[in-house]
Amino acid sequence: EPEVTQTPSHQVTQMGQEVILRCVPISNHLYFYWYRQILGQKVEFLVSFYNNEISEKSEIFDDQFSVERPDGSNFTLKIRSTKLEDSAMYFCASSADRGAYGYTFGSGTRLTVV
Amino acid sequence: LAKTTQPISMDSYEGQEVNITCSHNNIATNDYITWYQQFPSQGPRFIIQGYKTKVTNEVASLFIPADRKSSTLSLPRVSLSDTAVYYCLVGDPYNQGGKLIFGQGTELSVKP
């Protein structure tokens, strides 16, 4: 079964540092997403991306966040200046069709900001 | 977006059938009902999606009454590995820009 791969699985960073979370979506998928889950809380939508541009973003996805698809396979989430409250599990997901709710999620990157 | 209500937790034993009901009284005409499963420290995993009546796949069944104001996820003969959080999501996949709205979910605990 095809998988969405995320690296690293765990990242520790100092407050104020930039981090880049990496994802390799399923190869024939066209729609890409980032979600996050703070420990003990709900899974929250951050951003959706299609055709090399952001389709939709949440209020969480402010100027400190950016996404990029630098080549044909990777999809990245950058946080420019991390804050303590950015500590969370970050999940990348992809789907073949915007209309299909069957998104495939990766196993996540646990980001710890100290 | 339709608000969903589901039990916070449920307990079951191995081999039993588990039914998790979700209420969504203000579901819109174009909304679909989708269930995801999440294990600790893993991403959500799509289980099943439906619009009306009954949908079945190799993992679960989804029952949706005619008024569509609720739905029931049915897991046949659960095992310990089915212990997870189950989320009911309601929305129009064609007009939400990829935004899935997760609630707190139902934490299912399967005991030996």
Side-chain angles (χ1 to χ4, degrees), chain B residues 21-40:
Chain B
T21 296
C22 179
S23 297
H24 27 81
N25 290 318
N26 59 340
I27 188 169
T29 304
N30 294 332
D31 286 347
Y32 284 70
I33 300 150
T34 312
W35 287 80
Y36 278 81
Q37 173 193 57
Q38 187 181 27
F39 298 114

Side-chain angles (χ1 to χ4, degrees), chain B residues 89-111:
Chain B
L89 284 72
V90 172
D92 180 355
Y94 296 91
N95 289 297
Q96 272 184 227
K99 186 197 280 191
L100 302 180
I101 307 296
F102 287 84
Q104 294 288 3
T106 296
E107 191 167 353
L108 173 65
S109 177
V110 180
K111 300 179 168 63

Side-chain angles (χ1 to χ4, degrees), chain A residues 3-6 22-26 73-75 92:
Chain A
E3 289 185 345
V4 172
T5 305
Q6 291 188 242
R22 301 180 193 280
C23 169
V24 179
I26 292 173
S73 59
N74 291 285
F75 181 50
C92 173

Side-chain angles (χ1 to χ4, degrees), chain B residues 29-80:
Chain B
T29 304
N30 294 332
D31 286 347
Y32 284 70
I33 300 150
T34 312
W35 287 80
Y36 278 81
Q37 173 193 57
Q38 187 181 27
F39 298 114
S41 297
Q42 290 192 29
R45 176 176 156 254
F46 172 83
I47 301 174
I48 198 166
Q49 176 178 306
Y51 183 80
K52 61 180 179 181
T53 64
K54 177 183 172 184
V55 181
T56 297
N57 62 21
E58 63 278 4
V59 176
S61 295
L62 178 60
F63 298 92
I64 306 168
D67 66 6
R68 304 200 325 123
K69 292 184 186 299
S70 67
S71 58
T72 299
L73 175 73
S74 181
L75 305 171
R77 296 182 299 283
V78 294
S79 63
L80 295 177

Side-chain angles (χ1 to χ4, degrees), chain A residues 33 35 37 40-43 45 48 55-59 89 91 97-103 105-108 110, chain B residues 32 34 36 38 41-46 49 87 89-100 102-104:
Chain A
Y33 318 92
Y35 284 75
Q37 186 173 31
Q41 298 189 23
K42 301 176 189 178
V43 177
F45 169 78
S48 58
S55 306
E56 179 113 7
K57 59 183 181 178
S58 70
E59 316 82 61
M89 280 286 282
F91 297 110
D97 177 354
R98 178 179 66 119
Y101 255 8
Y103 298 3
F105 283 79
S107 295
R110 180 172 298 282
Chain B
Y32 284 70
T34 312
Y36 278 81
Q38 187 181 27
S41 297
Q42 290 192 29
R45 176 176 156 254
F46 172 83
Q49 176 178 306
Y87 299 97
L89 284 72
V90 172
D92 180 355
Y94 296 91
N95 289 297
Q96 272 184 227
K99 186 197 280 191
L100 302 180
F102 287 84
Q104 294 288 3

Side-chain angles (χ1 to χ4, degrees), chain A residues 4 11 19 21 24 48-49 58 67 79 96 102 105 108-109 113:
Chain A
V4 172
Q11 177 144 6
V19 295
L21 310 183
V24 179
S48 58
F49 189 87
S58 70
V67 289
I79 309 176
F105 283 79
T109 293
V113 182

